[in-house]
Amino acid sequence: GLSESGLVKQLEFDGYSTEDATYAAENCNADWNKQAAKSAKNYIDTMPFSKSGLIQQLEFDGYSASEAEYGAKAVGY
C-alpha cells in the first residue's frame, strides 16, 4: 500500500512531473484507508510494533492521522 503522498513520490521517481503525479494520485479513486491497512499489515508481518509506533510509522509514510488509525485498527490494534 501507498499513501497519496507516497504515490506522488513514486510517480515522480518514475519520471512523471509533480503536476502529473499529483493529478494521478488525486484522481485514481484509491481507498486510502484500505492502502493504510495494507501498509499496516506489511509492517506487522515483518517487525513488532506497538499501536502508537505503528500509527507513527504510517503517518511518517504520508497517511493522515485518521488513515493511520484505520490501518492500525484493521490489523487488530
Side-chain angles (χ1 to χ4, degrees), residues 28-75:
C28 70
N29 297 319
D31 181 336
W32 301 115
N33 282 330
K34 188 174 182 180
Q35 295 304 309
K38 286 181 183 181
S39 292
K41 181 167 179 6
N42 287 339
Y43 278 122
I44 65 164
D45 283 350
T46 58
M47 62 189 86
F49 273 95
S50 66
K51 178 182 179 181
S52 63
L54 179 59
I55 289 169
Q56 287 176 348
Q57 181 62 51
L58 293 170
E59 288 176 340
F60 178 80
D61 290 344
Y63 292 102
S64 69
S66 65
E67 291 163 350
E69 287 278 347
Y70 182 93
K73 193 174 194 178
V75 295

Side-chain angles (χ1 to χ4, degrees), residues 14-37:
D14 291 342
Y16 292 93
S17 70
T18 299
E19 182 180 343
D20 288 344
T22 301
Y23 179 85
E26 290 175 351
N27 293 283
C28 70
N29 297 319
D31 181 336
W32 301 115
N33 282 330
K34 188 174 182 180
Q35 295 304 309

